[in-house]
């Protein structure tokens, strides 16, 4: 009965959405789909999508081939070929290894042509989706890289007044390495006392004015009196470039 | 006569509306609202509430059916849901669970 009719229409038992039909939702399938009506939503096929001249597809399309004579609004991904015939209108991005646009077709969007097929496109999408490893974000948190250890005068423990400072030189897998100045007593915290010091040092570096050292000296004296730390040794002399990694 | 055919490997999850005949050989979930005839073939699975003029079921329908003219359940069909239609035909061998309301 209708089975023969469908074969007459589709020829291979393909699916036809007639001109008066409107589908709202997701369409998935493993056969050809001819759209003469309207589909809103998403289409995922393993075969070919044909949009006839009166067909309107307002959906994200993922198919093997896409042959358009009507209107598609939405991104189109094809594993083989996208064809726009004359009179076709496509608004959206095309991702396909092959693309044919005939004279008279209207198209607005971008095109990504993948040369090697699925794997290259998958690699490309993966690369785009994954952001670049945040190196620079982590760097200020991570204390100086090993080469810096050779110059203890440049040690900057105050940059990491973390709780991890309680465990000196703890090199976890997270590489939060805290290098303590040898002048520091063991177990001493490179804590709040030193935090103003780098700022003074920065000022000294920028201005090179000895007067700016005075407050640091003044601040240092009570610290030295406390016997906590010879912070002076850590403050770089003016002219010596200190890379501020904050 | 049916111009719209939903093939056997097609799954539609959503709503179908229209003004023409529909032949379902695949799966439709959601809602179907037509003004003409629906034919659910033996491979067709309809998990939806249906509003139509006439419906002929050979396959599986789960959901309420509201036909304004006629509802036919052929043999070997399975229907779970209520049927509201002025004329109802249930053939021998059909499996049906639900209520029938012929006053619609």
């Amino acid at each position: 009965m209708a089975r023969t009719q469908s074969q007459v229409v589709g020829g291979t038992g393909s699916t036809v959405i007639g001109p008066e039909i409107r589908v709202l939702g997701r369409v998935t399938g493993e056969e050809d789909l001819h759209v003469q009506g309207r589909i809103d939503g998403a289409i995922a096929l393993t075969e070919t999508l044909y949009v006839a001249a009166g067909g309107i597809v307002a959906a994200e399309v993922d198919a093997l081939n896409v042959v358009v004579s009507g209107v598609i609004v939405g991104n189109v991904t094809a594993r083989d070929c996208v064809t726009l015939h004359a009179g076709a209108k496509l608004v959206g991005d095309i991702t396909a290894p092959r693309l044919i646009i005939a004279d008279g077709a209207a198209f607005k969007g971008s095109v990504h042509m993948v040369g090697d097929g699925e794997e290259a496109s998958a690699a490309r999408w993966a690369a785009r989706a994954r952001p670049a490893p945040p190196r620079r974000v982590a760097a200020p948190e991570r204390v100086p890289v090993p080469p810096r250890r050779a110059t203890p005068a440049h040690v900057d423990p105050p940059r990491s007044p973390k709780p991890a400072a309680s465990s000196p030189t703890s090199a976890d897998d997270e590489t939060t390495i805290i290098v303590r100045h040898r002048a520091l007593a063991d177990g001493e915290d490179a804590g709040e006392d030193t935090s103003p010091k780098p700022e003074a040092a920065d000022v000294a570096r920028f201005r090179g004015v000895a007067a700016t050292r005075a407050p640091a000296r003044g601040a240092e004296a009570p610290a030295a009196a406390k016997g906590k730390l010879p912070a002076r040794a850590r403050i770089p002399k003016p002219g010596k470039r200190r890379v501020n990694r904050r | 006569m049916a111009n719209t055919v939903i093939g056997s490997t097609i799954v539609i999850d959503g709503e179908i509306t229209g003004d023409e005949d529909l032949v379902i050989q695949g799966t439709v979930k959601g809602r179907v609202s037509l003004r003409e005839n629906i034919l659910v073939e033996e491979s067709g699975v309809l998990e939806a509430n249906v509003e139509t003029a006439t419906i002929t079921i050979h396959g599986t329908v789960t959901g309420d059916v509201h036909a304004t003219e006629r509802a036919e359940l052929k043999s070997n069909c399975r229907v779970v849901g209520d049927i509201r239609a002025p004329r109802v035909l249930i053939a021998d061998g059909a499996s049906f669970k639900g209520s029938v309301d012929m006053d619609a």
Side-chain angles (χ1 to χ4, degrees):
Chain A
M1 301 185 294
R3 211 171 285 273
T4 56
Q5 286 180 357
S6 74
Q7 289 190 349
V8 166
V9 171
T12 53
S14 62
T15 292
V16 178
I17 304 282
E20 300 290 327
I21 297 287
R22 178 173 175 162
V23 177
L24 208 76
R26 266 195 78 83
V27 180
T28 58
E30 293 162 9
E31 54 188 61
D32 294 346
L33 178 64
H34 296 257
V35 180
Q36 299 163 0
R38 184 171 171 142
I39 296 187
D40 291 272
I43 298 177
L45 297 175
T46 59
E47 294 294 329
T48 304
L49 172 71
Y50 296 90
V51 183
I56 301 176
V57 172
E60 301 284 308
V61 176
D62 185 355
L64 180 67
N65 295 308
V66 179
V67 178
V68 189
S69 306
V71 176
I72 292 188
V73 179
N75 298 330
V76 174
T77 304
R79 287 183 284 286
D80 187 17
C81 179
V82 173
T83 307
L84 303 186
H85 290 305
K89 289 187 188 7
L90 198 152
V91 177
D93 297 339
I94 296 180
T95 305
R98 293 167 49 211
L99 174 62
I100 302 173
I101 301 185
D103 185 22
F107 169 58
K108 178 182 163 106
S110 67
V111 175
H112 301 279
M113 297 194 73
V114 182
D116 297 338
E118 293 192 43
E119 286 159 16
S121 75
R124 176 180 304 198
W125 285 116
R128 278 180 46 167
R130 202 179 310 125
R135 271 182 236 113
R136 65 185 190 291
V137 175
E141 306 288 343
R142 317 256 160 112
V143 177
V145 292
R148 275 194 150 258
R149 284 203 209 191
T151 59
H154 284 279
V155 162
D156 300 317
R159 258 194 295 104
S160 52
K162 297 178 179 178
S166 59
S167 64
T169 64
S170 61
D172 296 338
D173 45 352
E174 281 296 320
T175 69
T176 302
I177 303 172
I178 299 176
V179 178
R180 305 175 66 82
H181 196 279
R182 57 168 171 252
L184 277 176
D186 278 33
E188 288 283 350
D189 246 18
E192 312 82 8
D193 278 357
T194 64
S195 37
K197 301 256 176 342
E199 293 163 348
D202 281 342
V203 172
R205 182 181 48 146
F206 286 127
R207 294 192 193 162
V209 176
T212 58
R213 284 204 191 183
R217 219 172 259 161
E220 172 201 9
K226 291 182 201 169
K228 266 211 164 175
L229 26 84
R232 200 36 130 185
R234 265 201 309 276
I235 298 179
K237 304 176 177 50
K240 201 145 198 197
R241 182 162 177 78
R242 174 181 146 196
V243 178
N244 189 3
R245 285 231 184 138
R246 264 188 223 121
Chain B
M1 271 184 295
N3 205 10
T4 294
V5 178
I6 296 179
S8 49
T9 66
I10 296 282
V11 176
I12 295 186
D13 196 344
E15 213 177 290
I16 302 182
T17 57
D19 288 339
E20 44 178 75
D21 298 346
L22 181 62
V23 175
I24 298 176
Q25 298 165 355
T27 302
V28 175
K29 301 183 201 176
R31 254 187 55 183
V32 179
S33 169
L34 291 181
R35 289 189 232 163
E36 293 294 330
N37 311 319
I38 295 182
L39 172 62
V40 181
E41 299 240 351
E42 284 177 18
S43 57
V45 175
L46 193 51
E47 293 176 18
N49 294 330
V50 181
E51 294 174 11
T52 177
T54 75
I55 182 166
T56 308
I57 305 174
H58 291 87
T60 307
V61 173
T62 306
D64 297 337
V65 172
H66 179 196
T68 55
E69 287 183 18
R70 192 174 76 241
E72 279 190 50
L73 279 66
K74 301 291 193 186
S75 57
N76 298 326
C77 78
R78 287 186 56 89
V79 176
V80 177
D82 300 337
I83 298 183
R84 287 169 53 199
R87 296 165 60 184
V88 178
L89 285 81
I90 302 184
D92 187 20
S95 161
F96 171 58
K97 179 185 167 89
S99 69
V100 174
D101 185 357
M102 299 183 71
D103 289 333

